[in-house]
Amino acid sequence: MISRLVDHREDREELCQDVFLRVYEKLGEFTFQSKLSTWIATIAYRHGVNHLRKKKIEVSDVDEEKSFSTHFISDENIEENYSDQEMNNLVLKWIDQLPIHYRTVLTLYHVDSMNYHEIENITGMPEGTVKNYLFRARQLLKEKVKNYLGKEEMI
Amino acid sequence: MNTSDEEIQNKLEANLPVGNDLDSIAYRKVFNAVSSAPTFQLSSQFADKVILKIEAKESKASSSEIYWLVAGVAVLFVAAIISGLLIGFKPSFGAFTFWASYPGLFAFAIGLFILIQWADKKILKTPSL
């Protein structure tokens, strides 16, 4: 979660320490209303978002969708043929370029195997928004891959 | 939502086969990649650093508790002195001067107290876990 939200390595480590510290301090307040992993992910998400806000990094809802999509899907200089592993790395790199909310939803759903309801609890976004962000994130990545595959065929 | 995109995403989520068109191929590659966790490893001293932070925070909290205790006692002491000066209080043992006439009773009370404490420790057993 933290590593998807925050780019700087030192900041990630520091934030992870703070999350562990917070979990240690607040463990007595855990009410078993949710899974422990969901509770910890909620703390991590809030810590990450607060950190980004402090650093004045944009965290607001995904706006200017059209201009972002156009910019995101735009061509890159692709001069090599990539293997499957390299393609995976390329997609992971593209994920890091997505808006924060898209990254968060993708990570919680695909990496942490959480369902929509759990993601709603962690991020505070309505379930419909979570589904929409997940769909749009995957669609944007697909367009990027498609764009690349089209180029590759031409090379 | 785009129906075709939605359909392909739903099929891939359910592990169902999808076509061989460019959209499906691209989605397969995306789904293969998105499940990979970001490659970030915490440093080997991570646990030590967390423990140090916890210890530092706890020692800071306990020293602030001592500070408040000392401050409270000092304020009470000053308030007692000022009140005493204002009302012209003269220290006196008052009712306790009664003990001076019965030193045997005083010694017996102390002895009984010690005996009860000793008996309490000897007779009452510590409950086993």
Side-chain angles (χ1 to χ4, degrees), chain B residues 3-33:
Chain B
T3 319
S4 163
D5 278 317
E6 198 180 354
E7 201 178 302
I8 300 170
Q9 288 196 18
N10 288 342
K11 279 185 174 174
L12 284 167
E13 267 198 62
N15 283 324
L16 293 171
V18 289
N20 275 322
D21 55 298
L22 200 52
D23 274 336
S24 302
I25 294 167
Y27 264 126
R28 269 207 299 269
K29 291 189 183 294
V30 169
F31 271 73
N32 277 342

Side-chain angles (χ1 to χ4, degrees), chain B residues 91-120:
Chain B
S92 146
F93 288 105
F96 295 102
T97 50
F98 156 79
W99 289 108
S101 316
Y102 301 95
L105 187 62
F106 184 66
F108 174 74
I110 290 175
L112 187 66
F113 178 75
I114 292 169
L115 184 72
I116 289 169
Q117 290 297 318
W118 177 82
D120 190 40

Side-chain angles (χ1 to χ4, degrees), chain A residues 13 18 109 138-139 146, chain B residues 5 13 23 41 43 53:
Chain A
E13 174 109 12
D18 290 344
Y109 191 83
R138 295 193 292 214
Q139 195 182 38
K146 205 170 129 183
Chain B
D5 278 317
E13 267 198 62
D23 274 336
Q41 281 195 322
S43 67
K53 272 194 172 185

Side-chain angles (χ1 to χ4, degrees), chain B residues 41-60:
Chain B
Q41 281 195 322
L42 295 166
S43 67
S44 54
Q45 303 95 31
F46 180 78
D48 293 337
K49 285 178 185 170
V50 174
I51 290 168
L52 279 176
K53 272 194 172 185
I54 290 172
E55 283 174 349
K57 208 159 189 182
E58 281 181 351
S59 94
K60 200 178 168 188

Side-chain angles (χ1 to χ4, degrees), chain A residues 11 28-29 57 62 65 67 87 91 102 106 108 115 121 125-127 146:
Chain A
D11 288 351
E29 292 173 22
I57 296 168
V62 184
E65 165 78 4
S67 64
M87 170 58 91
V91 174
Y102 283 4
L106 268 179
L108 290 172
N115 59 36
N121 285 339
M125 296 180 217
E127 199 170 309
K146 205 170 129 183

Side-chain angles (χ1 to χ4, degrees), chain B residues 61-77:
Chain B
S62 74
S63 61
S64 88
E65 279 170 13
I66 290 169
Y67 166 79
W68 283 111
L69 178 71
V70 169
V73 169
V75 167
L76 274 175
F77 190 68

